[in-house]
């Protein structure tokens, strides 16, 4: 026991010395680590200082050797030069048509119309992107459907700027120009449209042709199954009405690709307008001895109404007069087919797979229809070579599914009047003079 008591102070002394040695070693390691970090920070500081000094020397030497070139802080020098010098000064009329799908005069006319909503003010940080350049970015996207990255490198702007330009320009076109170029016809305009259809297409009392177009899209984040159409690809459906000149006057877009034509029509403003007598002239015009309002022509997917006619189904019991009616209706219906073909050929974002969000696609479709009307009204040249891309496309349009007819008694009476009218015309033309 006495030996243990004598060894205890020695043990305490050894323990104390070991703990002190450990603390000294730890403090040395901490000091060494702090010194390494301090030297690393000093090295980075001096390297950055040398880099800044070198950049200043290079800038001064380049300014002393040549004239300074004004550039925007967020844009690439070569791309800015391409826009300001090549496009604005050296583009020929054919270049404007090929790249922007419209003439230079129509382009600046469009910029003037959108100026009220798209003009931006310069800030202390950077000057605003010019109005013409913003419109050109959006038109390039609508005309070619190329990736945002490609347009970004071409125009010397960021990808987010390209996306913002497309959204804002399309929205401005719809808000400012839809009341001027895509609006419901007045009573006088309906009368003029009926005269045009009778003289050009031989179909009296017709004021428009109704049809649909499927716009290819990428897979949405939700409810994907409803966007598969009958051809097996994802799409958004656009319903359109055109006059005898192939100009759009009613467009309804944004429905999933599996939606039937009848459902789209019944959820559109055109259905409400026609059912409430919006297509009936005052007073009613006479046709084959009875009063008849204006009407439209549709394909097999639409319901049969007194104001919406479609062909007789092809069956063995079809009569000669009904076949004549079908031929005349298909001949007048071709104005819509040509209009949709020219629309997709001019604005290929409606033909190629569109990678924009579903919240942007309907506005983009409306903007393309408005731009189509503007180009047609201004008489801009349509290059027939554009059509080849559409005809050899990878996404064929779905065929129409037969919609059941409702209210056939009244409608069959109207179709019977047209059968009699066309039969009389053919008999008159067949008689020798």
């Amino acid at each position: 026991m006495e030996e243990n008591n004598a060894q205890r102070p020695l043990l305490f002394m050894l323990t104390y010395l070991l703990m002190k040695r450990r603390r000294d070693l730890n403090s040395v390691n901490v000091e060494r680590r702090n010194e390494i970090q301090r030297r690393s920070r000093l090295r980075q500081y001096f390297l950055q200082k040398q880099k800044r000094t070198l950049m200043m020397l290079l800038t001064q030497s380049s300014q002393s050797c040549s004239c300074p070139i004004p550039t925007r802080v967020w844009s690439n020098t070569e791309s800015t030069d391409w826009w300001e010098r090549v496009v604005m000064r050296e583009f020929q009329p054919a270049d404007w048509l090929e790249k922007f799908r419209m003439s230079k005069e129509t382009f600046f006319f469009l910029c003037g119309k959108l100026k009220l909503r798209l003009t931006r003010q310069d800030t202390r940080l950077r000057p605003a992107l010019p109005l013409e350049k913003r419109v050109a970015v959006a038109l390039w996207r609508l005309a070619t459907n190329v990736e945002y990255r490609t347009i970004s490198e071409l125009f010397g702007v960021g990808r987010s700027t390209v996306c913002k330009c497309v959204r804002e320009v399309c929205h401005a076109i719809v808000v400012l120009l839809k009341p001027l170029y895509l609006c419901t016809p007045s009573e006088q305009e309906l009368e003029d449209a009926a005269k045009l259809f009778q003289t050009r297409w031989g179909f009296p009392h017709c004021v428009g042709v109704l049809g649909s177009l499927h716009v290819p899209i990428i897979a949405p984040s939700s409810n994907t199954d409803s966007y598969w159409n009958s051809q097996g690809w994802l799409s958004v459906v656009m319903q359109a009405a055109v006059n005898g000149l192939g100009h759009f006057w009613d467009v309804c877009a944004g429905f999933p690709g599996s939606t039937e034509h009848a459902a789209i029509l019944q959820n559109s403003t055109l259905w409400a307008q026609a059912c409430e007598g919006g297509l009936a002239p005052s007073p009613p015009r006479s046709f084959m001895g009875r009063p008849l309002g204006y009407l439209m022509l549709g394909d097999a997917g639409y319901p049969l109404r007194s104001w919406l006619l479609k062909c007789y189904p092809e069956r063995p019991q079809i009569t000669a007069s009904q076949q004549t009616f079908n031929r005349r209706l298909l001949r007048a219906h071709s104005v819509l087919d040509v209009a949709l073909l020219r629309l997709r050929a001019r604005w290929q974002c409606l033909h190629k797979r569109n990678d924009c969000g579903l919240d942007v696609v309907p506005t983009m479709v409306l903007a393309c229809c408005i731009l189509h009307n503007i180009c047609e009204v201004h008489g801009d040249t349509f290059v027939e070579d554009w059509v080849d891309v559409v005809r050899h496309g990878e996404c064929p349009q779905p065929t129409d599914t037969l919609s059941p007819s409702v209210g056939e008694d009244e409608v069959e009476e109207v179709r019977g009047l047209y059968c009699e009218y066309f039969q009389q015309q053919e008999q008159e033309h067949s008689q020798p003079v």
Side-chain angles (χ1 to χ4, degrees), residues 33-64:
R33 188 164 53 250
N34 290 339
E35 180 66 18
I36 293 173
Q37 292 177 355
R38 186 181 68 83
R39 291 182 180 181
S40 177
R41 286 195 297 268
L42 287 174
R43 189 181 299 110
Q44 291 179 0
Y45 170 76
F46 285 115
L47 287 175
Q48 291 177 358
K49 187 175 181 180
Q50 285 181 345
K51 185 177 179 180
R52 286 195 297 268
T53 304
L54 180 62
M55 292 298 295
M56 291 176 62
L57 293 174
L58 289 175
T59 303
Q60 291 175 0
S61 61
S62 62
Q63 288 179 352
S64 61

Side-chain angles (χ1 to χ4, degrees), residues 254 257-258 283 300 329 331 384-385 396 428:
S258 62
L329 190 146
R331 178 174 176 267
E384 294 297 332
D385 292 342
E428 292 176 358

Side-chain angles (χ1 to χ4, degrees), residues 254-270:
F255 290 88
S258 62
T259 311
E260 296 181 354
H261 292 184
I264 299 175
L265 175 61
Q266 292 169 1
N267 285 279
S268 64
T269 56
L270 179 62

Side-chain angles (χ1 to χ4, degrees), residues 271-328:
W271 174 270
Q273 176 192 358
C275 292
E276 293 173 0
L279 298 180
S282 181
R285 307 294 189 265
S286 177
F287 177 69
M288 298 294 291
R290 61 155 288 180
L292 182 67
Y294 296 133
L295 50 84
M296 302 184 66
L297 308 179
D299 52 42
Y302 289 106
L304 200 58
R305 289 292 184 272
S306 60
W307 56 270
L308 180 59
L309 300 184
K310 61 182 182 179
C311 291
Y312 287 96
E314 292 293 336
R315 53 189 178 183
Q317 298 82 7
I318 190 171
T319 64
S321 60
Q322 291 174 349
Q323 289 178 343
T324 303
F325 173 85
N326 286 356
R327 286 197 303 270
R328 293 295 188 93

